[in-house]
């Protein structure tokens, strides 16, 4: 029988106070995992803990900056001592800066790379030694369609997510022999409170121009829901994916497979 259960597992999902990270962590909790998350500020951790409580989930929240090696090492040690060995790591924490490339400063570019690419590197190398000692583990990197595509104003984000795709493949290559599976999940355009204004009907009843663009480019003809990520995320964290390694699973309604409608 295929085993999708996460019973007895400790899952650390970075930046999971809200949004996609929260949705993934909630799915893991439903599958039986103990949830640990972090955020960069105490007030964000408190908001996250309140959201998990409201959802009936007992989560463990910590303050940690994923770009700070010393903080991450101390964080991982504390989680291991207080909650248990980390069996599943989801590198979800990330930012995007929508700035035309020639208007973006090198410092702004570096900040996106630091959080979206260096952060997963630091987190992964902090949990891998204990995963090896425990006989295996799962690392899931939250990639993006920008791991494959470019788009105006997201040069730093696309560079980071393209790098994260290759980091995923390299972790799989380097540590697969230790029963560690490292895969990526690539969300498409997901309906969240942050994207709600882009989906509001216009005064004349028509769709927002960006909404029209996404619907036209998506074979599923809709935005994704956070719940659409639950099954794929659980699969990649469970024994069901034990021979899946170095793969990026795009949950995008088919956008990457589609050239678009003829005008």
């Amino acid at each position: 029988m295929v085993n999708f259960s996460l019973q007895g597992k400790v899952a650390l999902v970075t930046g999971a106070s809200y949004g996609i990270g929260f949705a993934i962590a909630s799915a893991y909790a439903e599958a039986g995992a103990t949830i640990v998350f972090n955020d960069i500020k105490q007030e964000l951790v408190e908001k996250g803990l309140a959201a998990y409580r409201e959802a009936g989930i007992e989560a463990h929240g910590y303050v940690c900056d994923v770009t700070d090696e010393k903080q991450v090492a101390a964080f991982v040690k504390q989680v291991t001592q207080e909650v248990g060995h980390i069996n599943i790591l989801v590198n979800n924490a990330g930012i995007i800066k929508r700035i035309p490339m020639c208007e973006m400063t090198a410092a702004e570019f570096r900040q996106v790379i630091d959080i979206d690419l260096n952060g997963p590197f630091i987190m992964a190398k902090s949990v891998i030694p204990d995963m090896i000692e425990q006989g295996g583990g799962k690392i899931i990197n939250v990639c993006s369609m920008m791991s494959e595509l470019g788009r105006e104003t997201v040069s730093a984000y696309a560079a980071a997510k393209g790098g994260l795709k290759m980091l995923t493949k390299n972790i799989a290559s380097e540590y697969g022999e230790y029963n560690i599976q490292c895969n990526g999940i690539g969300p498409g355009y997901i309906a969240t409170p942050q994207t709600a204004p882009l989906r509001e009907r216009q005064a004349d009843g028509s769709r927002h121009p960006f909404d029209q663009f996404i619907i036209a480019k998506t074979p599923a003809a809709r935005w994704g829901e956070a719940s659409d990520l639950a099954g794929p995320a659980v699969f990649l964290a469970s024994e069901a994916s034990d021979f899946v390694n170095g793969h990026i699973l795009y949950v995008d309604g088919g956008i990457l497979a589609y050239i678009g409608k003829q005008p």
Side-chain angles (χ1 to χ4, degrees):
M1 179 148 179
V2 179
N3 188 5
F4 293 96
S5 172
L6 302 182
Q7 200 69 42
K9 304 294 186 182
V10 174
L12 166 56
V13 186
T14 66
S17 298
Y18 60 92
I20 287 172
F22 181 86
I24 290 173
S26 297
Y28 287 171
E30 190 175 342
T34 299
I35 303 305
V36 179
F37 74 97
N38 76 295
D39 218 313
I40 200 164
K41 294 179 181 177
Q42 184 63 43
E43 53 263 41
L44 294 173
V45 171
E46 294 300 331
K47 283 183 181 179
L49 288 170
Y52 284 108
R53 280 195 297 270
E54 190 175 338
I57 297 168
E58 183 183 345
H60 304 263
Y62 296 81
V63 176
C64 180
D65 178 352
V66 297
T67 69
D68 186 317
E69 281 188 273
K70 288 183 179 179
Q71 274 193 45
V72 168
F75 168 47
V76 168
K77 184 178 180 181
Q78 187 177 5
V79 170
T80 303
Q81 291 174 342
E82 296 179 358
V83 184
H85 295 284
I86 297 164
N87 310 113
I88 302 158
L89 167 67
V90 180
N91 283 311
N92 166 75
I95 63 168
I96 187 169
K97 289 182 180 289
R98 295 182 177 87
I99 305 170
M101 181 174 159
C102 289
E103 296 173 21
M104 182 175 241
T105 66
E108 289 169 328
F109 188 92
R110 287 191 194 101
Q111 185 186 15
V112 176
I113 298 294
D114 203 23
I115 295 170
D116 294 7
L117 182 54
N118 288 341
F121 163 74
I122 292 167
M123 287 300 310
K125 79 188 193 76
S126 297
V127 302
I128 285 170
D130 191 54
M131 285 183 173
I132 292 173
E133 196 170 316
Q134 298 308 308
K138 303 282 186 174
I139 299 173
I140 296 116
N141 293 324
V142 178
C143 295
S144 165
M145 290 188 301
M146 298 303 113
S147 297
E148 301 289 345
L149 300 172
R151 191 167 180 271
E152 298 85 350
T153 76
V154 294
S155 58
Y157 185 78
K161 293 299 186 178
L164 186 58
K165 175 183 72 172
M166 294 312 300
L167 177 64
T168 300
K169 291 175 180 290
N170 206 80
I171 291 171
S173 302
E174 200 163 348
Y175 296 103
E177 66 179 293
Y178 299 103
N179 192 33
I180 293 172
Q181 291 84 49
C182 181
N183 294 289
I185 189 166
Y189 285 92
I190 305 297
T192 65
Q194 288 84 358
T195 60
L198 299 174
R199 289 175 282 108
E200 287 180 353
R201 290 282 177 173
Q202 305 299 285
D204 63 0
S206 65
R207 291 182 181 273
H208 187 286
F210 191 79
D211 189 19
Q212 292 180 37
F213 168 70
I214 294 304
I215 297 302
K217 288 290 185 183
T218 308
R222 67 174 177 87
W223 288 65
E225 300 291 337
S227 58
D228 288 318
L229 298 167
V234 169
F235 165 68
L236 291 177
S238 73
E239 291 180 9
S241 63
D242 277 359
F243 203 57
V244 178
N245 214 354
H247 178 74
I248 314 299
L249 177 52
Y250 292 102
V251 187
D252 65 354
I255 290 180
L256 286 172
Y258 189 42
I259 196 171
K261 292 180 180 178
Q262 182 178 337

